Amino acid sequence: MTASAPSSAAQGAGRWADGGGEMGELILLVILAGVQFTHILDFMIVMPLGPQLMRLWQIRPYEFALLFSAYTFTAAAAALLCSLYIDRFDRRKALLALYGGFALSTLLCALAPSYGWLLTARAAAGAFGGVAGAAVYSILGDLIPETRRGRAMGVLMTAFPVSAVVGVPLGLFLANHFGWRAPFVLVFALSLLVLFGASRLVPPLHAHVEKARLRNAWQLLQSVFADANHRQALAFMAVLVFGGFSVIPFIAPYMVSTVRLRESDLTYLYFFGGLATVFTSRLIGRLTDRHGKRKMFTIVALVSIVPLLITTNLRPVPVWIAIAASVLFMVFVSGRFVPAMAIVTAAAQPGVRGGFMSVSSAVQQLASALASLASGVIIGRGADGSMTRYWLVGLISIACVLLCIRLARRIETRG
């Protein structure tokens, strides 16, 4: 399929956009952002709960990293498996089935009586949630024209800061007052609301199914990996995620053990950092449409080196300095993903976009799992309980930033 010959899926997307108008497009984005919000909140909530869980079950940094990475390892495996078949189904039906499984798995997290049970439930939540996240980007890629995709990505990516502004502080409040299970109950309840909205408002998307069913599963996988542009995009995203998640999971434990903040202070870090990113994500999205995906990625990625250095070398400071460092980190480190996801989504051949985005999700999840495990091995504990060698993790993350800038220049935009 060539870029000059639009697929039936693209034609159907155009008819939907014309019929739905700007308001219809916004409603769709809100629903998709709701899926991402709950998925990301479920993923993120373990990080600020780290100090509580490590104290409750007397687990070491490596065991906490395993709890975090179990989610992403199973998400990677499930996304890779689903990439073989997901384009054979209506994208709406696939999203609803996967997201329903995610909601149920999150409820099992809330019911976990032990570390082992929670580890298993987190693995199940990752398997469903990771593929549901990939389905979201496939739907967006089918329905939103390339000329507005940066703005759409900006709206979708606000799911991350909103979860930090509203979800994580609220989850921490519930955890401090009702126990660590309460945040998972919150995510389950929100997921049921979003599932209902998605079932009513996400349109059917099945124009791609007929051609996908003519290929067997391995032909689909070959069509994803045989394309050099696909491989470049996957490598780019793997390096970007590895660099980010080598640092991110250990921010909360580092702030408590080394910067000497109270666990209650973590709420302010996530609140103000996320609040700033609510505005900057959409701004970066608009600037991406105006100035180009690669240019904006390069600028934001280079600036992100500064908060990476600050965060991984911070020593005991007043809480307002830690908050300022958190704001810079969230704005620029998470901000890189707005133009990055626009680059990756545009790199896919339209006929295999679902499979490609599932493979991309698998690559991202695997990269984040390996990053957290690697950091868990590198980071040590001092005699006073502080975390050591976090600065080395920061340097690894910066090296990944520089490599990503080089990789982004090689990725072509497809129809």
Side-chain angles (χ1 to χ4, degrees):
M1 182 180 297
T2 63
S4 60
S7 66
S8 57
Q11 292 169 344
R15 288 194 295 271
W16 178 88
D18 292 339
E22 185 174 344
M23 182 57 66
E25 186 174 295
L26 180 60
I27 291 173
L28 173 74
L29 290 174
V30 170
I31 293 298
L32 296 180
V35 174
Q36 291 295 80
F37 168 74
T38 48
H39 165 47
I40 293 170
L41 178 58
D42 183 65
F43 174 70
M44 288 181 62
I45 198 64
V46 172
M47 290 183 280
L49 290 179
Q52 290 189 43
L53 295 175
M54 293 173 75
R55 184 177 62 252
L56 174 65
W57 283 315
Q58 295 295 303
I59 57 177
R60 296 165 293 177
Y62 175 79
E63 292 170 303
F64 171 67
L66 184 60
L67 183 63
F68 178 82
S69 60
Y71 190 99
T72 49
F73 269 130
T74 55
L80 186 59
L81 179 62
C82 285
S83 70
L84 302 175
Y85 302 100
I86 196 167
D87 281 315
R88 299 185 178 197
F89 301 95
D90 183 302
R91 301 207 197 283
R92 174 180 177 274
K93 291 180 179 178
L95 175 66
L96 295 178
L98 293 164
Y99 191 62
F102 161 76
L104 179 60
S105 300
T106 301
L107 178 61
L108 294 178
C109 291
L111 300 175
S114 65
Y115 171 79
W117 179 296
L118 181 60
L119 186 66
T120 304
R122 296 300 296 160
F128 287 106
V131 187
V136 163
Y137 287 109
S138 297
I139 292 170
L140 184 145
D142 280 355
L143 292 179
I144 307 299
E146 169 68 21
T147 53
R148 297 198 300 275
R149 204 167 288 158
R151 170 182 170 273
M153 285 292 178
V155 173
L156 201 59
M157 295 298 284
T158 57
F160 179 88
V162 169
S163 68
V165 170
V166 179
V168 173
L170 179 58
L172 283 171
F173 174 82
L174 293 174
N176 290 331
H177 289 79
F178 302 102
W180 64 269
R181 302 176 193 276
F184 294 109
V185 175
L186 171 66
V187 175
F188 171 70
L190 292 174
S191 298
L192 292 182
L193 293 176
V194 175
L195 184 64
F196 175 77
S199 68
R200 299 294 299 273
L201 298 173
V202 175
L205 285 168
H206 49 72
H208 61 285
V209 170
E210 183 177 353
K211 286 188 176 181
R213 289 181 176 176
L214 294 177
R215 298 187 298 263
N216 65 41
W218 293 111
Q219 286 175 331
L220 175 62
L221 196 60
Q222 288 171 358
S223 67
V224 171
F225 283 103
D227 190 305
N229 199 54
H230 289 174
R231 295 196 301 269
Q232 292 280 3
L234 294 173
F236 164 73
M237 188 52 67
V239 175
L240 181 64
V241 171
F242 185 94
F245 282 92
S246 60
V247 173
I248 291 172
F250 295 93
I251 290 177
Y254 183 80
M255 289 292 180
V256 172
S257 67
T258 306
V259 185
R260 303 303 182 188
L261 300 185
R262 296 171 298 180
E263 290 182 14
S264 59
D265 292 333
L266 296 177
T267 300
Y268 302 110
L269 266 65
Y270 283 94
F271 177 81
F272 288 107
L275 183 63
T277 316
V278 167
F279 300 101
T280 57
S281 289
R282 299 190 67 178
L283 174 62
I284 291 171
R286 290 194 296 270
L287 292 174
T288 296
D289 286 336
R290 185 179 306 169
H291 300 292
K293 299 181 285 292
R294 291 167 188 80
K295 182 177 181 179
M296 278 307 300
F297 175 77
T298 300
I299 292 172
V300 179
L302 286 173
V303 177
S304 72
I305 292 174
V306 175
L308 281 169
L309 283 172
I310 293 173
T311 300
T312 56
N313 289 276
L314 208 60
R315 291 295 178 264
V317 294
V319 66
W320 69 267
I321 295 180
I323 291 172
S326 177
V327 168
L328 285 175
F329 187 94
M330 289 195 182
V331 165
F332 292 105
V333 174
S334 66
R336 303 175 307 186
F337 285 87
V338 175
M341 286 306 302
I343 290 171
V344 170
T345 304
Q349 292 282 9
V352 295
R353 180 173 283 124
F356 171 78
M357 294 308 296
S358 290
V359 172
S360 176
S361 176
V363 168
Q364 291 175 54
Q365 302 291 354
L366 181 60
S368 63
L370 293 175
S372 62
L373 284 178
S375 295
V377 172
I378 293 171
I379 294 171
R381 285 273 194 181
D384 59 352
S386 63
M387 289 169 51
T388 59
R389 297 191 294 275
Y390 198 38
W391 60 271
L392 180 56
V393 173
L395 294 181
I396 293 172
S397 182
I398 291 170
C400 291
V401 171
L402 299 177
L403 179 56
C404 282
I405 292 172
R406 181 181 179 87
L407 290 172
R409 297 173 183 173
R410 302 178 179 179
I411 301 173
E412 299 176 0
T413 295
R414 298 286 173 79

